[in-house]
Amino acid sequence: MPLCCEVALPVPLDRTFTYALREGQRPVRGARVIAPFRNEKLIGVVTATEVAAPADFEVRHLDAVLDDEPLLEESLLKLAEWIAQYYLAPLGEVLRAMLPLMAEVRRTVYYRITDLGRDVLAKALEAAHGGELSHLFGRGREMSREDEEAAGASIAPLAKHTSGFVQDDKGSRPEKRKKLSGEALDLEMRVLTRLSSGEPVKVSTLRTATAASLQVLAALVRKKWIARETSAVERDARRLERFAVLIPESRLPKLTEKQQAILAELAACGGEMALDELRQRELSSSTLQTLVRRELVRIEERPAAFRLGGIARRKEPFELNPAQKQALETIAGALGEFHSFLLFGVTGSGKTAVYLAAMHKALERGMSAILLVPEIGLTPQTVGVLDAVFGSRVALLHSALTPEERSEQWRRIQRGDAPIVVGTRSAIFAPAPKLGLILIDEEHDQSYKQEETPRYNARDVAVMRAKITGATVVLGSATPALESWQNAVQGKYARIELRDRVMDRPLPEVELVDMRREFQETGQEQLFSRALIEQTKAALERGEQAIILLNRRGYSFAVICRACGQKLECQNCAIALTHHKPASEDGIAREGQRLECHYCGYRRTVPARCPKCESEYLYYLGAGSQQGEERLAEIFPGARIGRMDRDTVRGRYDLERLLARLHSGEINLLVGTQMIAKGHDIHGVTLVGVVGCDHSLSMPDFRAAERVFQLMTQVSGRAGRGDLPGRVVVQTYYPDHYAILAAMKHDYAAFAERELKYRRWMHYPPFGVLANVLVQSQKLEEASGWAAVLGKYLAQSQSGGGAVRVLGPCTAPIARIKGVYRFHMILKAASRKALNAALRGMLAHAESAGVPRRNLVVDVDAARLM
């Protein structure tokens, strides 16, 4: 009986899989393996060894063992098992999220024809040519080049003879579907003909030969005419850079002018230069190769350098005020044991300096530290400070890195070369040896919640990892999540407070502008109030800088027909299309004709008439950051205006360049979305305007007030961080709302007291636990039917005063996204144990009822209910 092991695979199934070992294979727990799964080759992680072979079925053998030693230490494996249990996520998908090492494995996709596909092709040819060519497609027969060309020449007439066939339990039958065009059928036949030899064909080769898109190939797989297969082999993921190196003491023969130019450049740069830099200087590659052949220059490959990025900062000694010193002493005294702290400090109180000093203390004790930030692209000054203070001992982990860069950084951390790790939520899984300190900056931020499987919250995972490893964890924020605040009230977290800004700088004064009264007094709807315009003008005239938050992308966020009220929606999503104007060379939006969906990326031109009633009266509703930029340019023609949103910050270094211009004073008026509210420390900014951030208060979300308070407080904190005092102008239609009033006074405690009363009454977190169950399908009747089945089960299982309250099922607030229909249920309970049991029972019932696991999303501690 062969030896076996248990492997967790990245598939949406709540189980591990048993595989037999080949001779010489001895995987250890925590090592990666390549395992066959259906027609795929998947990368899995060994969870158990020396497992007995099951007696009721034949096991498949592992293809390869990739690691001799455990790639994940035992503490990370325990953390993965906790995440899988807590968030009801498949263990294999959790482990895949932990290991950003896909660059170390080369995966290749192949397609081959199935028996059903052969039958379809043969029938089509027989119908078109009376059986003259059908003998070419007998099962198992390989076609010669001449056969293939003969069949290829016969494809054109097939469209009128071919109908779709599908395979099910009743055998091959015509498919009930929309009739394809002759061109589409022609394309399908070309694919089948190219695969008719029976040999697997690489996807790139197949697409080049047939001009078939991935959508066409996926449709053929669904019809079971072709099958998709993958292979996986280990590869070297090291990033290498090529250098041209001058060979010394070479006798110089007669050289051309271009050859002399290259040698002169190399000599001026110390005898060597990267080939990429040579190309940027427009020096000929062919001339360089001539110099290599003449043995005057040699080419060397070296490990490529990695740029940490960030805004360059000078290395300065830490100068902490008494409150910061006390905070540091408290954190440093806890190092070496599990302790959890909530560092509650007002904006500008110097929390980052405390983080850096605490990391220094950890390094002095031989420990490593992890610093999580909400979005690495939004905090370049933090990265710049880390680079200046810790240099090469810093590793960076986030999704904007290439696969090779992520693999390289992960390996540096594992070897102990980089004991300081900074990154986004996935950096919490960094294999940092001797982990002693975990810091979560802006711990309230929604970005820490993963919106795809596994749907973990990095803040809570950080606390659990610290508990498992015996590390100290610090959650820092000026506006803590109410769950964290309540944990501190109950004594689960020790609270550390920084009540004042550094150097005793005052918090900015906040002025509320009631936009209802503004409309009554001016008689027209204005994007910017008179008070905001006046204060912005005054700040610019004083040579100061201003920031205006307009938390909507695009030019207008909806287009509506005035005649019939029809709203122009995305064809794939139940959401209004956003109007964008194309940017001109001077960066200011001009007239354009683009509508875009911010969920799926669908684009279309603005129609001349309403698609429903043919009316020409289309109305552009609302204003986004693009329109705000245009209006500000009209009001302040002499201002140096910049815009910060997802349309202007796309690449890895776009934000760094934009913030560098802001720091240097090249930009003195910045408008943007909530990206401008996160972590920016620009001393020249004295005025912040807040426009339209209160629209969230009308959303169907119990966290709406908390988000508005946090956003207002955070963006207000960008003002007055230098020597000059700051001022904030908030435009609102809800001037009496408690969240707005508390943010105006910078009074977090008052807001928390009011909001927590509401949460307690309604049994919402932190006074209860919650999960959002999403049922989705590309077919409306499937999604609604499955939702009804699961809703009925939950209603029956919780009848008679059950411990879990079920709201729904009902259509999700956004009923369709990317062509997928969505229904949801909200489950609330007082006990985590009761909620977990109800969800597991629901998943078991779904499996028995035939509801596919991949069509179910279970979001425990959901941050968004849309």
Side-chain angles (χ1 to χ4, degrees):
M1 184 174 293
L3 289 174
C4 296
C5 67
E6 287 293 313
V7 178
L9 295 176
V11 294
L13 297 172
D14 298 305
R15 51 161 296 186
T16 57
F17 299 87
T18 305
Y19 284 91
L21 305 179
R22 300 182 189 275
E23 186 176 353
Q25 290 181 339
R26 291 293 182 270
V28 294
R29 175 173 156 86
R32 292 172 303 160
V33 295
I34 298 178
F37 185 81
R38 296 176 181 168
N39 293 328
E40 308 273 335
K41 304 290 185 184
L42 301 180
I43 312 301
V45 175
V46 177
T47 59
T49 58
E50 299 182 3
V51 176
D56 51 345
F57 63 89
E58 183 178 354
V59 295
R60 302 174 74 177
H61 286 79
L62 291 178
D63 278 14
V65 177
L66 299 180
D67 307 302
D68 296 328
E69 299 292 332
L71 200 62
L72 292 173
E73 61 183 28
E74 191 61 30
S75 64
L76 282 174
L77 289 173
K78 288 181 179 177
L79 182 65
E81 291 166 352
W82 177 84
I83 292 172
Q85 188 275 334
Y86 184 92
Y87 292 101
L88 282 81
L91 179 60
E93 296 196 332
V94 174
L95 292 169
R96 175 173 59 181
M98 282 187 164
L99 290 170
L101 300 177
M102 291 308 298
E104 297 183 2
V105 178
R106 178 181 289 110
R107 291 171 57 85
T108 308
V109 177
Y110 296 89
Y111 288 93
R112 62 174 177 80
I113 194 168
T114 63
D115 290 342
L116 179 60
R118 286 184 179 281
D119 291 343
V120 169
L121 187 56
K123 289 176 182 178
L125 287 168
E126 185 174 3
H129 297 280
E132 294 177 11
L133 294 172
S134 60
H135 68 283
L136 300 178
F137 301 93
R139 295 186 182 182
R141 186 187 187 282
E142 292 190 8
M143 292 179 65
S144 66
R145 174 70 64 180
E146 292 76 11
D147 291 342
E148 197 170 307
E149 290 176 355
S154 307
I155 288 175
L158 296 180
K160 62 182 179 180
H161 298 284
T162 306
S163 61
F165 287 83
V166 294
Q167 183 75 32
D168 60 11
D169 295 337
K170 299 179 181 179
S172 175
R173 60 177 175 79
E175 182 187 13
K176 295 180 180 179
R177 61 188 178 92
K178 294 180 180 178
K179 186 175 181 180
L180 294 177
S181 66
E183 183 178 348
L185 287 169
D186 186 22
L187 183 58
E188 290 184 343
M189 291 301 109
R190 282 206 303 272
V191 172
L192 294 180
T193 302
R194 180 63 182 85
L195 297 175
S196 58
S197 66
E199 294 296 321
V201 178
K202 286 175 63 173
V203 61
S204 56
T205 303
L206 183 60
R207 294 185 64 192
T208 301
T210 64
S213 66
L214 292 176
Q215 290 81 2
V216 170
L217 296 178
L220 290 173
V221 170
R222 287 195 297 270
K223 290 190 284 189
K224 300 185 180 180
W225 290 4
I226 65 175
R228 183 182 183 273
E229 300 175 348
T230 62
S231 69
V233 294
E234 197 170 5
R235 67 181 285 263
D236 186 355
R238 290 178 299 172
R239 296 185 307 115
L240 298 175
E241 193 171 8
R242 303 183 74 199
F243 283 80
V245 181
L246 194 62
I247 298 176
E249 301 177 1
S250 300
R251 294 182 60 185
L252 295 180
K254 186 177 180 180
L255 300 173
T256 66
E257 189 174 324
K258 291 183 178 180
Q259 292 170 348
Q260 292 177 14
I262 290 179
L263 294 180
E265 288 284 352
L266 292 177
C269 295
E272 61 182 43
M273 185 183 294
L275 295 191
D276 289 342
E277 192 173 345
L278 276 173
R279 295 190 191 98
Q280 290 174 5
R281 301 188 184 191
E282 298 182 355
L283 297 173
S284 170
S285 298
S286 59
T287 303
L288 177 62
Q289 292 304 318
T290 301
L291 292 173
V292 172
R293 287 194 299 270
R294 300 179 74 172
E295 298 184 349
L296 299 175
V297 175
R298 69 174 179 269
I299 304 297
E300 293 182 358
E301 284 189 343
R302 302 173 186 173
F306 177 79
R307 179 180 172 234
L308 186 63
I311 297 174
R313 303 290 288 266
R314 291 178 301 168
K315 184 175 180 179
E316 300 174 351
F318 296 119
E319 295 184 4
L320 304 181
N321 60 31
Q324 290 173 313
K325 288 179 181 178
Q326 185 176 353
L328 175 61
E329 289 174 4
T330 303
I331 296 169
L335 291 175
E337 297 179 356
F338 170 60
H339 289 280
S340 50
F341 297 98
L342 175 63
L343 180 57
F344 171 53
V346 299
T347 56
S349 60
K351 294 184 290 295
T352 301
V354 175
Y355 298 156
L356 296 173
M359 286 189 278
H360 257 295
K361 294 291 186 182
L363 286 181
E364 289 174 358
R365 301 189 187 185
M367 301 175 179
S368 56
I370 296 175
L371 171 62
L372 297 187
V373 292
E375 296 182 52
I376 199 69
L378 302 184
T379 54
Q381 63 275 2
T382 302
V383 176
V385 169
L386 288 169
D387 191 24
V389 174
F390 299 109
S392 61
R393 293 182 294 176
V394 179
L396 186 63
L397 283 178
H398 60 87
S399 58
L401 301 180
T402 66
E404 290 77 14
E405 287 173 334
R406 295 183 75 188
S407 175
E408 176 187 277
Q409 294 295 299
W410 198 91
R411 292 291 185 181
R412 287 184 63 228
I413 299 166
Q414 186 191 38
R415 292 193 302 267
D417 296 341
I420 300 295
V421 182
V422 59
T424 49
R425 59 177 176 263
S426 61
I428 191 56
F429 302 128
K434 299 180 181 178
L435 180 61
L437 180 64
I438 304 174
L439 303 153
I440 301 96
D441 190 27
E442 309 294 358
E443 64 87 28
H444 66 276
D445 200 284
Q446 287 186 72
S447 300
Y448 287 124
K449 185 71 163 73
Q450 174 105 333
E451 292 301 323
E452 57 189 27
T453 305
R455 293 173 176 259
Y456 65 91
N457 189 315
R459 177 195 65 209
D460 300 333
V461 171
V463 174
M464 180 53 63
R465 183 172 184 187
K467 184 176 181 179
I468 292 172
T469 59
T472 297
V473 60
V474 179
L475 316 180
S477 177
T479 55
L482 288 173
E483 290 86 347
S484 299
W485 183 261
Q486 186 65 16
N487 281 336
V489 170
Q490 295 175 344
K492 294 180 181 178
Y493 300 161
R495 190 163 74 210
I496 304 172
E497 295 193 5
L498 299 175
R499 302 190 177 200
D500 301 307
R501 283 187 160 186
V502 295
M503 301 177 67
D504 293 323
R505 290 169 179 152
L507 287 166
E509 294 183 8
V510 181
E511 175 186 351
L512 290 185
V513 178
D514 186 345
M515 295 304 289
R516 300 170 300 180
R517 180 174 297 177
E518 185 79 6
F519 176 76
Q520 293 172 356
E521 294 177 357
T522 62
Q524 54 186 338
E525 191 76 29
Q526 296 287 355
L527 179 57
F528 302 119
S529 65
R530 294 166 296 173
L532 180 56
I533 292 173
E534 291 170 5
Q535 301 234 23
T536 304
K537 181 181 178 181
L540 296 179
E541 288 176 347
R542 292 192 301 266
E544 299 163 3
Q545 293 171 293
I547 289 177
I548 295 179
L549 170 71
L550 185 53
N551 200 24
R552 290 272 196 171
R553 277 176 59 198
Y555 193 85
S556 301
F557 51 77
V559 181
I560 296 177
C561 175
R562 283 184 179 274
C564 69
Q566 175 75 8
K567 180 172 61 177
L568 297 187
E569 290 193 346
C570 173
Q571 68 175 13
N572 305 314
C573 310
I575 200 75
L577 291 168
T578 301
H579 178 221
H580 287 256
K581 283 189 174 183
S584 61
E585 292 182 359
D586 59 8
I588 303 300
R590 304 299 183 198
E591 288 296 337
Q593 292 290 309
R594 188 177 114 224
L595 296 175
E596 181 177 339
C597 175
H598 291 168
Y599 282 84
C600 72
Y602 168 76
R603 295 183 179 186
R604 63 161 294 175
T605 57
V606 179
R609 296 178 177 275
C610 172
K612 182 178 180 181
C613 71
E614 294 295 321
S615 169
E616 60 183 4
Y617 300 106
L618 295 178
Y619 175 61
Y620 296 89
L621 179 66
S625 56
Q626 199 177 29
Q627 186 176 155
E629 179 190 26
E630 184 177 271
R631 296 282 178 86
L632 289 172
E634 295 170 355
I635 298 169
F636 307 108
R640 303 181 298 276
I641 301 174
R643 188 173 99 240
M644 184 187 294
D645 57 27
R646 289 298 180 192
D647 296 317
T648 61
V649 180
R650 293 183 178 273
R652 183 168 158 189
Y653 301 114
D654 289 345
L655 186 72
E656 288 180 22
R657 288 190 286 266
L658 184 60
L659 286 178
R661 293 172 61 202
L662 190 62
H663 276 277
S664 67
E666 182 182 343
I667 294 174
N668 62 359
L669 179 55
L670 180 69
V671 60
T673 58
Q674 63 180 351
M675 295 174 69
I676 67 176
K678 298 185 180 181
H680 307 309
D681 185 20
I682 300 99
H683 287 196
V685 173
T686 60
L687 177 68
V688 167
V690 182
V691 178
C693 87
D694 55 359
H695 72 274
S696 298
L697 294 173
S698 61
M699 301 293 284
D701 189 343
F702 72 92
R703 288 193 172 93
E706 182 181 10
R707 289 182 181 138
V708 168
F709 174 84
Q710 289 168 344
L711 181 59
M712 279 187 58
T713 302
Q714 291 291 333
V715 73
S716 298
R718 300 316 105 201
R721 298 174 77 95
D723 296 330
L724 298 174
R727 188 170 182 82
V728 182
V729 178
V730 177
Q731 298 182 181
T732 178
Y733 285 93
Y734 303 96
D736 300 322
H737 196 282
Y738 62 91
I740 304 290
L741 293 174
M744 181 185 72
K745 299 175 183 177
H746 307 284
D747 192 346
Y748 177 85
F751 166 76
E753 182 182 3
R754 179 76 176 268
E755 182 69 9
L756 286 172
K757 284 183 180 178
Y758 158 70
R759 300 279 183 93
R760 185 180 285 108
W761 290 337
M762 301 302 294
H763 304 287
Y764 278 120
F767 302 105
V769 291
L770 176 146
N772 188 31
V773 177
L774 197 65
V775 185
Q776 49 191 11
S777 173
Q778 292 183 329
K779 297 179 180 178
L780 176 60
E781 60 275 13
E782 274 189 349
S784 62
W786 291 338
V789 167
L790 298 181
K792 183 178 180 181
Y793 164 79
L794 288 169
Q796 292 175 346
S797 64
Q798 301 302 319
S799 61
V804 178
R805 184 182 180 189
V806 182
L807 308 179
C810 63
T811 305
I814 303 178
R816 192 175 82 258
I817 294 179
K818 297 180 180 179
V820 175
Y821 294 93
R822 311 163 76 242
F823 290 77
H824 78 147
M825 295 170 283
I826 297 175
L827 278 66
K828 297 165 61 178
S831 156
R832 176 77 56 188
K833 183 178 179 181
L835 178 66
N836 194 287
L839 291 171
R840 291 194 179 280
M842 182 204 69
L843 290 176
H845 181 74
E847 184 176 1
S848 63
V851 181
R853 181 66 172 87
R854 64 179 177 272
N855 293 84
L856 282 179
V857 174
V858 178
D859 192 359
V860 177
D861 298 339
R864 294 182 177 91
L865 302 178
M866 300 298 288

